[in-house]
Amino acid sequence: MQAAWLLGALVVPQLLGFSHGARGAEREWEGGWGGAQEEEREREALMLKHLQEALGLPVRRGDQNPEGNSEGRGAWATEENGQGEEGEEEPTSTPHVSPSPSPTPEDAITYILGRLAGLDAGLHQVHVRLHTLDTRVAELTRGLRQLREVAGDTRDAVQALQEAQSRAERDHGRLEGCLKGARLGHKCFLLSRDFEAQAAAQARCVARGGSLAQPADSRQMETLTRYLRAALAPYNWPVWLGVHDRRAEGLYLFENGQRVSFFAWHRAPSPEPGPRPSAAPHPLSPNQPNGGVLENCVAQASDDGSWWDHDCDRRLYYVCEFPY
């Protein structure tokens, strides 16, 4: 019994001391952790205040005492609760925005100089592009000048070719006229079976190196008559000659401007002898020329070689003459 009491007296105080030490350590740990949290909250409040001052925002009343303890915050909360219970409403404060600073003269000068520098850079770019365009225009001008020179040379070459072609056509026409047509002395006659007006027929004969036929005497007239009769028989076709009186009525000229001195005008047949001879000309074969100012060009009949005056715009066969 005494041994049991002695054992309890020794163990119980040790257990009580151990329990007291554990509770003290726990209180010491809680106090250290709570202090760290308080310091962290104070540091955050101070950083928030500095940020609001840098941004120009109004500082809230709760932030004006970042170093206050929990008792101050509790008093502030109690005060707010009391005001709420009393029903008093404080006017909501409007956030104060600090006005933007007005520009100084130095800022204005700096802005103007910056704008002028930008304009100067733009003008420089414009000058560079204008210089490029001037260079391009100069190159195009030189190219255009060269093209004009080449075109001029080409035009001269084409003109020379055309002249050579004309000479060749005239030489060919003269050779063809003398080889296929009728030749007499230094003249050759060639019939064309194309229907043309008198002026167009003359132009075609000239292009081939000749002219419309201009029989100057009876010998040439007889040669031309035999040639046309043989070429167009058994028909009778009027064929343009190079004879006309367009300049003056009754004044007949060749196409070369010489005056005609030999004529072979058609004459109506003489009336047949009998008891009642008729002196009136045949209506289908009147004496020529009889057209007046309406018929100023001369055509030769292919059957008998007689001359008839016709309208110059009438389209007929024509006969060209070429020098041999």
Side-chain angles (χ1 to χ4, degrees):
M1 190 63 154
Q2 290 179 354
W5 182 86
L6 178 62
L7 181 60
L10 291 175
V11 174
V12 170
Q14 293 295 329
L15 293 175
L16 291 176
F18 176 78
S19 177
H20 177 75
R23 285 194 299 270
E26 182 179 358
R27 283 194 300 269
E28 184 180 358
W29 181 82
E30 290 179 356
W33 175 252
Q37 289 181 343
E38 185 66 25
E39 290 178 1
E40 185 66 23
R41 283 194 295 269
E42 291 176 359
R43 189 161 43 252
E44 291 179 358
L46 185 59
M47 291 176 62
L48 179 60
K49 178 182 178 181
H50 290 168
L51 181 60
Q52 290 175 348
E53 289 178 355
L55 297 177
L57 299 176
V59 181
R60 295 182 299 176
R61 294 177 60 184
D63 298 334
Q64 292 179 358
N65 190 15
E67 299 178 356
N69 52 16
S70 60
E71 295 178 356
R73 287 193 297 272
W76 174 251
T78 304
E79 183 180 354
E80 287 183 349
N81 292 333
Q83 290 178 357
E85 293 175 357
E86 294 175 359
E88 297 179 359
E89 296 181 357
E90 293 183 358
T92 304
S93 59
T94 304
H96 177 68
V97 180
S98 59
S100 59
S102 60
T104 61
E106 291 79 4
D107 296 337
I109 293 175
T110 303
Y111 175 77
I112 293 174
L113 291 177
R115 296 294 293 175
L116 290 176
L119 292 175
D120 183 68
L123 288 176
H124 178 70
Q125 294 294 331
V126 171
H127 290 161
V128 171
R129 294 182 181 181
L130 286 177
H131 177 70
T132 304
L133 289 177
D134 291 339
T135 304
R136 185 58 177 167
V137 169
E139 294 176 355
L140 291 177
T141 303
R142 288 195 299 269
L144 181 60
R145 187 182 302 111
Q146 294 175 358
L147 287 177
R148 287 178 177 175
E149 292 176 357
V150 173
D153 297 340
T154 304
R155 189 183 304 109
D156 295 339
V158 170
Q159 185 176 0
L161 289 175
Q162 289 177 348
E163 292 176 356
Q165 182 181 3
S166 299
R167 289 193 298 269
E169 289 179 354
R170 289 193 295 268
D171 294 340
H172 178 267
R174 286 192 292 267
L175 290 174
E176 184 181 20
C178 292
L179 289 175
K180 295 182 179 181
R183 182 170 67 87
L184 176 63
H186 297 286
K187 281 186 178 184
C188 299
F189 299 103
L190 180 64
L191 173 67
S192 175
R193 298 175 183 269
D194 297 328
F195 292 97
E196 296 289 350
Q198 200 269 353
Q202 169 64 12
R204 297 191 64 174
C205 289
V206 171
R208 299 177 65 182
S211 175
L212 282 175
Q214 305 171 84
D217 52 36
S218 58
R219 186 182 175 190
Q220 294 181 9
M221 187 66 197
E222 291 174 359
T223 302
L224 183 59
T225 299
R226 288 195 301 268
Y227 169 65
L228 293 178
R229 183 185 300 117
L232 297 175
Y235 306 104
N236 180 23
W237 290 94
V239 181
W240 284 125
L241 299 177
V243 180
H244 63 86
D245 65 343
R246 288 189 293 259
R247 182 178 302 178
E249 180 64 25
L251 178 61
Y252 288 92
L253 304 174
F254 288 123
E255 289 293 338
N256 58 12
Q258 294 181 359
R259 189 169 182 175
V260 179
S261 58
F262 172 81
F263 297 96
W265 293 113
H266 171 77
R267 291 291 179 256
S270 300
E272 298 178 358
R276 295 181 179 179
S278 175
H282 194 280
L284 299 180
S285 180
N287 292 331
Q288 298 294 317
N290 67 340
V293 296
L294 299 179
E295 298 178 346
N296 295 320
C297 294
V298 177
Q300 178 176 334
S302 63
D303 58 348
D304 59 358
S306 59
W307 290 8
W308 295 67
D309 61 345
H310 290 278
D311 183 5
C312 296
D313 293 331
R314 187 177 178 183
R315 297 169 63 87
L316 305 174
Y317 288 166
Y318 58 95
V319 58
C320 299
E321 72 174 28
F322 301 94
Y324 177 71

